[in-house]
Amino acid sequence: MSTHKSLLGAQSKELAFHSKPLESDHEIRIAQRLVYRVFVNEMGWIPPADNPSGIQFVEDQAAPRFVDHFDQTALWFGTFYHQKLIACWRFCQPLDGKFELEHYQPLPNFLKASRSLEVTRLVIDPSHRKRSRGLLHLAQTTYRHLCDRFDYTFAAVEFPHPGDLYLKLGSKQADVKPFKYSPLDPNEVQLIVLDLKNRETLASGYRKYSQ
């Protein structure tokens, strides 16, 4: 009986998560507010006013939003827990012939010559950071939407966090020296790449998650 209840409890928690593309302006604004809360309120990150990405904070009636030029090329994905957005990230194509990262650091040629997307704005609500289920749900849903349309996703991230999370999902460190977006940044970042044609990664759903 207790085993049956445990299974029902696990299934109930799984059903509480819902991941999907964020397509409406309303959903994207909610994601931008979550990014603001994590990046600015929690991490205290205030980019320079003249940053090449065009990052700025937009005030609206609900709460400030974290926006930039590349929002117009972005595909957003989010995970909801009981209808509350608890995690999101975005995937950007080039704008005016350049990925966002190229305004700070040259990219390997294979990423520019293939169907690639740049990953940014990964944020997880503090209440769900100690659990893997939300991020895993988000990653595998995103993979299913992108794997047949694109070849690679890439990001420039700090280690150990969030870099280790990306590696668990199946990304690999690229053969590029660590660098800083700005000389004023305290830490370097590393370029990582996920091969979407590799169907044996955690993001693809092939491997099981282990803490």
Side-chain angles (χ1 to χ4, degrees), residues 22-196:
L22 305 180
E23 298 176 322
S24 71
D25 289 343
H26 175 69
E27 290 174 333
I28 292 172
R29 289 191 187 102
I30 292 173
Q32 291 168 339
R33 291 174 193 133
L34 179 58
V35 173
Y36 182 92
R37 290 200 302 272
V38 174
F39 281 13
V40 181
N41 290 347
E42 184 179 337
M43 298 172 58
W45 184 54
I46 308 293
D50 60 348
N51 66 87
S53 303
I55 297 171
Q56 58 182 310
F57 309 142
V58 175
E59 299 284 345
D60 62 22
Q61 293 180 348
R65 294 184 289 119
F66 195 102
V67 305
D68 68 16
H69 297 324
F70 285 84
D71 281 325
Q72 62 186 287
T73 77
L75 303 172
W76 285 86
F77 293 85
T79 294
F80 295 81
Y81 183 70
H82 291 298
Q83 301 184 342
K84 174 188 175 182
L85 183 70
I86 56 95
C88 65
W89 53 6
R90 71 173 192 180
F91 293 74
C92 294
Q93 300 182 68
L95 177 64
D96 297 328
K98 281 188 174 183
F99 286 102
E100 181 181 5
L101 185 55
E102 291 185 271
H103 291 279
Y104 305 88
Q105 174 76 13
L107 276 179
N109 288 333
F110 79 93
L111 290 175
K112 298 182 65 175
S114 59
R115 298 175 300 171
S116 299
L117 291 172
E118 181 175 1
V119 191
T120 58
R121 310 293 186 265
L122 171 62
V123 292
I124 304 172
D125 187 273
S127 63
H128 286 265
R129 288 184 195 155
K130 293 183 179 180
R131 309 167 188 169
S132 62
R133 187 177 285 112
L135 176 61
L136 187 59
H137 209 281
L138 176 63
Q140 293 181 349
T141 298
T142 302
Y143 180 90
R144 289 194 295 271
H145 279 83
L146 300 181
C147 65
D148 293 327
R149 299 162 52 198
F150 297 95
D151 300 315
Y152 300 100
T153 64
F154 66 90
V157 296
E158 293 184 15
F159 279 86
H161 182 77
D164 285 347
L165 287 176
Y166 281 94
L167 296 186
K168 285 183 177 180
L169 293 173
S171 294
K172 305 292 185 184
Q173 293 189 14
D175 187 19
V176 174
K177 290 183 178 180
F179 60 93
K180 291 184 177 183
Y181 276 97
S182 164
L184 301 178
D185 288 347
N187 300 315
E188 293 181 324
V189 294
Q190 174 70 50
L191 181 66
I192 57 169
V193 179
L194 176 66
D195 181 355
L196 293 173

